[in-house]
Amino acid sequence: MPTISMTVNGNEVSGEVENRTLLVQFLRDSLGLTGTHVGCDTSQCGACTVHVDGLQVKSCTMFAVEAAGADVTSIEGIASPEGELSAVQAAFKEHHGLQCGFCTPGMIMAAESLLKANPKPTEAEIRHHLHGNICRCTGYHNIVKAIYAASGQDVAELMPA
Ligand code: FES
Ligand code: FES
């Protein structure tokens, strides 16, 4: 079995994997980073979203060996080392952007990625960006609201739910 190394949330990690091991399995099963969820395993739900070399990736669609040498960030790497929430995380909390929370790590990772590329997205741009992330609880409105707020824009400008 190949041994791979990568940087995860700023830490150098390595481990033995099978060629078929998915990145999400490596994160969850080998590294114990269970904040990255598996909702479908077929690239539809987005619960497994992480960042690989700065790009938003569904980690159930990537083999762990493909991430060898990469710089990976999972939901556990989003708050500061002291535990201070990111602006997106704080806005999800303030605007009730979650209910059961299963989709939330993937939503946060998608939102962080969007705001990095587009710091002041419109409501339509936020909704478009979330097309790959499924939430079965919230109806999405408060998620959109949270991301809009995290971008520093006034949520009163949004269409009512
Ligand atoms: Fe990866 Fe659903 S678990 S997209
Ligand atoms: Fe339950 Fe989104 S909060 S799936």
Side-chain angles (χ1 to χ4, degrees):
M1 292 204 293
T3 299
I4 57 169
S5 300
M6 65 184 77
T7 304
V8 178
N9 302 330
N11 301 312
E12 291 293 326
V13 299
S14 61
E16 266 195 354
V17 295
E18 295 183 54
N19 287 330
R20 64 179 179 171
T21 302
L22 301 171
L23 177 58
V24 67
Q25 294 170 324
F26 182 66
L27 293 172
R28 289 178 56 86
D29 302 338
S30 299
L31 304 182
L33 296 173
T34 53
T36 301
H37 291 165
V38 179
C40 67
D41 224 355
T42 49
S43 301
Q44 296 172 70
C45 75
C48 64
T49 303
V50 299
H51 299 166
V52 177
D53 288 335
L55 295 176
Q56 183 181 327
V57 167
K58 290 181 175 177
S59 59
C60 76
T61 61
M62 187 172 194
F63 292 117
V65 291
E66 293 179 289
D71 187 4
V72 176
T73 304
S74 68
I75 187 66
E76 290 88 349
I78 294 300
S80 75
E82 294 73 37
E84 188 183 339
L85 299 180
S86 72
V88 171
Q89 289 174 312
F92 267 64
K93 185 177 173 191
E94 184 181 347
H95 295 280
H96 311 290
L98 64 146
Q99 288 183 28
C100 80
F102 196 85
C103 71
T104 311
M107 289 288 182
I108 299 272
M109 297 310 287
E112 296 281 357
S113 187
L114 169 65
L115 295 187
K116 199 168 154 202
N118 180 2
K120 298 280 181 205
T122 64
E123 178 176 354
E125 286 170 336
I126 294 171
R127 290 185 182 276
H128 179 75
H129 191 82
L130 296 180
H131 272 178
N133 292 77
I134 294 173
C135 176
R136 298 180 71 170
C137 303
T138 64
Y140 299 95
H141 187 73
N142 283 358
I143 293 175
V144 173
K145 202 176 181 182
I147 297 170
Y148 201 74
S151 73
Q153 301 181 87
D154 184 355
V155 295
E157 296 163 1
L158 295 174
M159 295 283 284

